[in-house]
C-alpha cells in the first residue's frame, strides 16, 4: 500500500497498474471491426458526458471508445453519482449508430450492453454474473447478491452513447455501499483490466452485430432470450419504484419485446414497466436487494 502522504502518480498502487492504450488499440482496432478509435484518459468527470458532447458536435465516428482511469463525477441512472478509487475498475463509454434500426428499438442497446458485459466478464474473470433489470450487473459476495456494475445509455448526435462502470478490484473497505461488490470480492480468477476490457468490448461487438443483422429485433437476434436467461429479476417478487413517486408490487414474469419488465400484480393483471428502480423483495436468492 502507498503511504497516505506519498505523492499520487499512475504507478502509486502497484496492485492497480495503468491501462496500456497502445496494446488495447492493437488488439481491438481492426479494419473490419466495430471499434474505430480508443482513447484512455487519466481522469475525467464522466466518460458519458465527454463522449455525448463530442457526438452532439459531430466529432466522433461509430465505434469510438473512451476509457478513464478515474471518474470524478460518473453518472448512473436518475443522475446518481458513481465514484471509485483510480484504476480500481473499468469506466468507459462507447458511441454507436444503429442507423436504419427503428429508433423505438434503440432502447434495447443498454440491455444488450448488459448481456455483453455479463458474458464477457463471466468468461474472462471466471465469475458468475447476473443482470438486474434494467441496468445493473450483479455478482455474489459471501452468499449475497451485490452490484458490481452499472450501465447508462443516452441519445447523442445520430446515435447513442453507452457507458459502463464496473468494480474490478475494490476491497471491502472501499465499497461505496453495503449492497456493492466487485469482481475481486466475488473470487475473480483475473482482475487484469486490459483482459477484462477486451473481453467486454469483443462481446459487445458480437451482440451488437447480431442485433443489427436482425434489424434490431431482440427476439430474432437471440438477445431477448439471452437477457431473460441471465436476469436475476425474473421469477421474483419485486417493487417497481416508478417515475412520479408511485410504486407497483408484483412478480416479475417476463421481459417483453420492447425490453420492458412485465409484472404480474395481485389482481392478475400483467403490467409492463418501461422505467423505474426495481427492488428485489423475495426470490430464489432470498432477502432484499
Amino acid at each position: 500500500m502507498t503511504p497516505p502522504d506519498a505523492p499520487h502518480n499512475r504507478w502509486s498502487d502497484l496492485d492497480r497498474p495503468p491501462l496500456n492504450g497502445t496494446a488495447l488499440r492493437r488488439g481491438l482496432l481492426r479494419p473490419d471491426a466495430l471499434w474505430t478509435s480508443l482513447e484512455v484518459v487519466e481522469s475525467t468527470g464522466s466518460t458519458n458526458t465527454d463522449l455525448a458532447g463530442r457526438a452532439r458536435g459531430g466529432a466522433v465516428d461509430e465505434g469510438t471508445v473512451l476509457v478513464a482511469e478515474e471518474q470524478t463525477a460518473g453518472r448512473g441512472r436518475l443522475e446518481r453519482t458513481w465514484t471509485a478509487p483510480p484504476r480500481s475498475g473499468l469506466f468507459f463509454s462507447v458511441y454507436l449508430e444503429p442507423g436504419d434500426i427503428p429508433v423505438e428499438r434503440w432502447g434495447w442497446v443498454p440491455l444488450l450492453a448488459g448481456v455483453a458485459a455479463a458474458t464477457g466478464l463471466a468468461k474472462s474473470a471466471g465469475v458468475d454474473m447476473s443482470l438486474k433489470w434494467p441496468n445493473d450487473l450483479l455478482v455474489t459476495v459471501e452468499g449475497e447478491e451485490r452490484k458490481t456494475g452499472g450501465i447508462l445509455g443516452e441519445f447523442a448526435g445520430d446515435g447513442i452513447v453507452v457507458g459502463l462502470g464496473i468494480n474490478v478490484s475494490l476491497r471491502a473497505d472501499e465499497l461505496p455501499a453495503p449492497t456493492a461488490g466487485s469482481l475481486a470480492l466475488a473470487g475473480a480468477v483475473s482482475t487484469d483490466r486490459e483482459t477484462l476490457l477486451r473481453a467486454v468490448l469483443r462481446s459487445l461487438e458480437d451482440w451488437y452485430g447480431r442485433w443489427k443483422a436482425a434489424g434490431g429485433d431482440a427476439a430474432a437476434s437471440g438477445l431477448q432470450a439471452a437477457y431473460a436467461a441471465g436476469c436475476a429479476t425474473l421469477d421474483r417478487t419485486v417493487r417497481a419504484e416508478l417515475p412520479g413517486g408511485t410504486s407497483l408490487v408484483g412478480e416479475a414474469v417476463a421481459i417483453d419485446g420492447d425490453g420492458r419488465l412485465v409484472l404480474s400484480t395481485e389482481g392478475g393483471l400483467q403490467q409492463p414497466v418501461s422505467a423505474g428502480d426495481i427492488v428485489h423483495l423475495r426470490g430464489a436468492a432470498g432477502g432484499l436487494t
Side-chain angles (χ1 to χ4, degrees), residues 159-223:
I160 182 170
V161 172
V162 182
L164 293 92
I166 301 164
N167 293 336
V168 175
S169 64
L170 257 70
R171 302 150 189 146
D173 61 351
E174 295 173 322
L175 295 175
T179 54
S182 69
L183 297 179
L185 291 174
V189 297
S190 172
T191 56
D192 181 273
R193 292 183 303 140
E194 289 178 24
T195 298
L196 302 177
L197 181 58
R198 283 195 298 269
V200 171
L201 288 174
R202 286 168 178 159
S203 182
L204 181 51
E205 179 177 13
D206 176 50
W207 275 107
Y208 183 66
R210 294 192 217 181
W211 178 75
K212 283 193 71 175
D217 187 320
S221 64
L223 175 59

Side-chain angles (χ1 to χ4, degrees), residues 43-259:
S43 179
T44 189
S46 161
T47 57
N48 251 40
T49 298
D50 294 349
L51 199 52
R54 296 182 197 177
R56 293 187 183 103
V60 293
D61 297 320
E62 180 175 44
T64 296
V65 182
L66 178 62
V67 188
E69 296 282 30
E70 177 186 26
Q71 281 194 133
T72 58
R75 293 182 293 124
R77 292 184 62 253
L78 306 178
E79 296 302 315
R80 296 186 179 116
T81 58
W82 176 287
T83 59
R87 304 183 305 282
S88 65
L90 292 173
F91 321 113
F92 65 100
S93 297
V94 302
Y95 178 66
L96 303 171
E97 290 183 347
D100 295 334
I101 306 298
V103 174
E104 58 267 24
R105 294 181 172 178
W106 289 22
W108 270 102
V109 175
L111 301 181
L112 182 156
V115 170
T119 303
L121 291 172
K123 291 179 179 178
S124 56
V127 170
D128 288 336
M129 307 287 300
S130 59
L131 302 162
K132 180 181 176 186
W133 188 92
N135 69 326
D136 290 349
L137 295 164
L138 304 180
V139 294
T140 300
V141 178
E142 298 179 349
E144 295 183 354
E145 284 180 341
R146 302 281 190 90
K147 177 179 176 178
T148 196
I151 299 161
L152 179 67
E154 58 184 296
F155 295 116
D158 295 324
I160 182 170
V161 172
V162 182
L164 293 92
I166 301 164
N167 293 336
V168 175
S169 64
L170 257 70
R171 302 150 189 146
D173 61 351
E174 295 173 322
L175 295 175
T179 54
S182 69
L183 297 179
L185 291 174
V189 297
S190 172
T191 56
D192 181 273
R193 292 183 303 140
E194 289 178 24
T195 298
L196 302 177
L197 181 58
R198 283 195 298 269
V200 171
L201 288 174
R202 286 168 178 159
S203 182
L204 181 51
E205 179 177 13
D206 176 50
W207 275 107
Y208 183 66
R210 294 192 217 181
W211 178 75
K212 283 193 71 175
D217 187 320
S221 64
L223 175 59
Q224 185 177 0
Y227 191 94
C231 184
T233 303
L234 293 180
D235 301 321
R236 300 173 81 148
T237 300
V238 305
R239 182 176 67 249
E241 298 175 349
L242 306 174
T246 61
S247 65
L248 181 67
V249 174
E251 182 183 357
V253 295
I255 304 294
D256 72 9
D258 294 318

Side-chain angles (χ1 to χ4, degrees), residues 246-288:
T246 61
S247 65
L248 181 67
V249 174
E251 182 183 357
V253 295
I255 304 294
D256 72 9
D258 294 318
R260 299 177 299 181
L261 181 68
V262 181
L263 301 186
S264 178
T265 64
E266 283 187 357
L269 297 177
Q270 301 252 313
Q271 179 70 46
V273 175
S274 58
D277 275 358
I278 299 298
V279 179
H280 291 173
L281 299 178
R282 293 188 302 275
L288 297 177

